[in-house]
Amino acid sequence: MAWNEWNQPKPAPAPRAADLVAHQDDLGAVGHEAHVLHGALLKHADMAGHEPNSTTTCAPPRAATALTRHHFAMGAALTTTTTLWTSQLRALLQACAHISNHLDHTKASHARDDAKIRTTIRGIATPEVPVSRLSTYFK
């Protein structure tokens, strides 16, 4: 690139989209909804005829077993569907639990950090504090 090309005016950068902002109340609401969804799934979702909290391996329902025994292809298909449903349901339950637990932890962690900062600032709130001392609190 020649100097005269480099020296030409450059187009203005495209405006940036707003950064993602999440407030504590928003995080708490998302975590709460994930917890509620987790509870509702445990209560209402059918885990292949097992108790919702069961961690046993998914066994095919009686209908699939009976159909397979009578050589109907639908038996194997029903077993596959049940296995996939249970697998996906467990993944969704884990995701809900992870979201809820992570946001609860994040909220508590930020609250502790805020309390520590408030305490620190109150301890150095005199006008005579030199800048060099202030910088030790913000590393």
Side-chain angles (χ1 to χ4, degrees):
M1 172 183 292
W3 178 252
N4 59 353
E5 292 174 343
W6 179 257
N7 208 19
Q8 295 295 319
K10 309 294 184 278
R16 279 183 38 162
D19 290 332
L20 175 64
V21 176
H23 301 283
Q24 288 292 76
D25 292 342
D26 298 333
L27 294 177
V30 170
H32 174 73
E33 289 301 318
H35 178 75
V36 169
L37 178 58
H38 184 272
L41 285 170
L42 279 177
K43 185 176 181 180
H44 299 293
D46 183 15
M47 294 265 280
H50 290 95
E51 291 296 316
N53 292 323
S54 174
T55 58
T56 60
T57 305
C58 172
R62 288 185 298 231
T65 304
L67 287 168
T68 302
R69 192 176 329 119
H70 289 93
H71 307 290
F72 284 95
M74 179 61 96
L78 187 54
T79 299
T80 299
T81 302
T82 302
T83 302
L84 288 172
W85 167 260
T86 303
S87 172
Q88 294 298 311
L89 181 59
R90 286 188 176 148
L92 183 57
L93 285 167
Q94 286 177 341
C96 288
H98 179 74
I99 290 167
S100 178
N101 292 341
H102 178 72
L103 292 177
D104 286 346
H105 170 75
T106 300
K107 188 176 176 184
S109 175
H110 284 295
R112 284 191 305 272
D113 291 346
D114 288 347
K116 183 178 177 183
I117 290 169
R118 274 193 304 276
T119 302
T120 301
I121 295 298
R122 284 187 189 133
I124 60 169
T126 60
E128 295 80 32
V129 176
V131 173
S132 60
R133 181 162 175 222
L134 286 175
S135 65
T136 63
Y137 293 100
F138 301 102
K139 290 184 179 178

